[in-house]
Amino acid sequence: MTAHGQNQGQPALRPALLDTGALVHTTADRRLATQHWLLSTCSPAGRDRARMEWQEHGVAMLPLGTLFSAVRLPGALVQALAASSDPEDIDAFLEEALKGGPVICDVSGRRYYALVPASVPRTYKQAIDEEWRPNDVEVLGRESYMGVPPVDAVEHQPHASYWSVPMASAAELCGALDVARLIAAGVDRLAELEQTDTHARLQSVTTLTAPRRRPTR
């Protein structure tokens, strides 16, 4: 220890100062702030439990509906819009479509969770009931819990949830309107693909069942 009671090892990282006078926070600082914000959804005892779950299970169950809610998107809808099943392509598409808003990928369930303002279940109730839920889109708010991976789990893993689009900073969420537009586009795209597939099947059946012409003599 030094005379001031500080460690003599590596100094703590501090925000860098640009020529303009603006502070640039490191990725580690932003992730730590994000983790504290996520844990603030829990009671003090719940925060200890969540930290333990992150360490032991790679995912912590956090309550929804206070600081944020989540929109669960089926993998088929997202893949149809991204025109790919490759995780890297999908992650890049979601980052662009949702303007950098945070998204969690549940690899085992093949679903994506867009984190949105806590008010979305109330403000989008009609769309949820009439348009989203019939297309396997669900909104999770109060009285719901969601498995949230550690903030540094930002790479695709075969059997683990990860941040498909990491939270850029604490409390930065997806825009509700951006999510709504993505869902609408996805529903339309799936309908187009189904119509194309149906047409192709009908063409195939027509070809197989068409009467063959007898050869002329």
Side-chain angles (χ1 to χ4, degrees):
M1 302 289 286
T2 67
H4 296 288
Q6 294 178 342
N7 292 324
Q8 292 181 340
Q10 283 267 355
L13 293 175
R14 294 183 178 179
L17 186 64
L18 296 178
D19 293 338
T20 59
L23 290 176
V24 178
H25 293 272
T26 66
T27 299
D29 289 335
R30 291 196 301 271
R31 286 179 177 173
L32 184 60
T34 298
Q35 176 177 297
H36 287 322
W37 185 78
L38 291 169
L39 290 174
S40 68
T41 60
C42 306
S43 65
R47 293 168 199 167
D48 292 337
R49 172 191 51 77
R51 291 189 184 97
M52 180 189 68
E53 290 177 346
W54 274 331
Q55 290 180 351
E56 295 184 359
H57 308 296
V59 66
M61 299 303 294
L62 300 184
L64 301 176
T66 53
L67 295 183
F68 64 95
S69 294
V71 179
R72 188 178 68 202
L73 305 166
L77 182 146
V78 177
Q79 290 178 11
L81 283 175
S84 175
S85 59
D86 183 272
E88 290 188 9
D89 293 340
I90 294 173
D91 295 348
F93 164 77
L94 288 172
E95 183 175 16
E96 181 177 358
L98 298 178
K99 301 173 183 175
V103 182
I104 293 171
C105 175
D106 172 12
V107 175
S108 60
R110 299 182 181 179
R111 292 175 293 199
Y112 291 81
Y113 294 81
L115 275 54
V116 295
S119 60
V120 165
R122 182 181 70 257
T123 56
Y124 280 77
K125 187 178 186 308
Q126 184 175 354
I128 293 167
D129 293 339
E130 297 179 3
E131 301 170 24
W132 296 5
R133 193 168 289 130
N135 289 286
D136 200 25
V137 174
E138 192 62 68
V139 179
L140 308 174
R142 285 189 179 274
E143 301 183 359
S144 297
Y145 283 76
M146 183 176 68
V148 176
V151 292
D152 59 353
V154 295
E155 299 291 337
H156 175 265
Q157 299 293 332
H159 304 293
S161 295
Y162 74 101
W163 291 87
S164 175
V165 184
M167 186 175 283
S169 59
E172 186 164 331
L173 301 170
C174 294
L177 186 57
D178 293 328
V179 175
R181 286 171 173 165
L182 182 142
I183 294 169
V187 170
D188 288 345
R189 180 57 180 156
L190 285 173
E192 290 174 1
L193 291 174
E194 184 178 357
Q195 186 175 14
T196 301
D197 185 53
T198 299
H199 179 72
R201 289 200 305 269
L202 288 174
Q203 286 288 93
S204 177
V205 170
T206 301
T207 301
L208 290 172
T209 59
R212 296 182 179 179
R213 283 187 174 182
R214 292 183 179 181
T216 57
R217 293 183 180 180

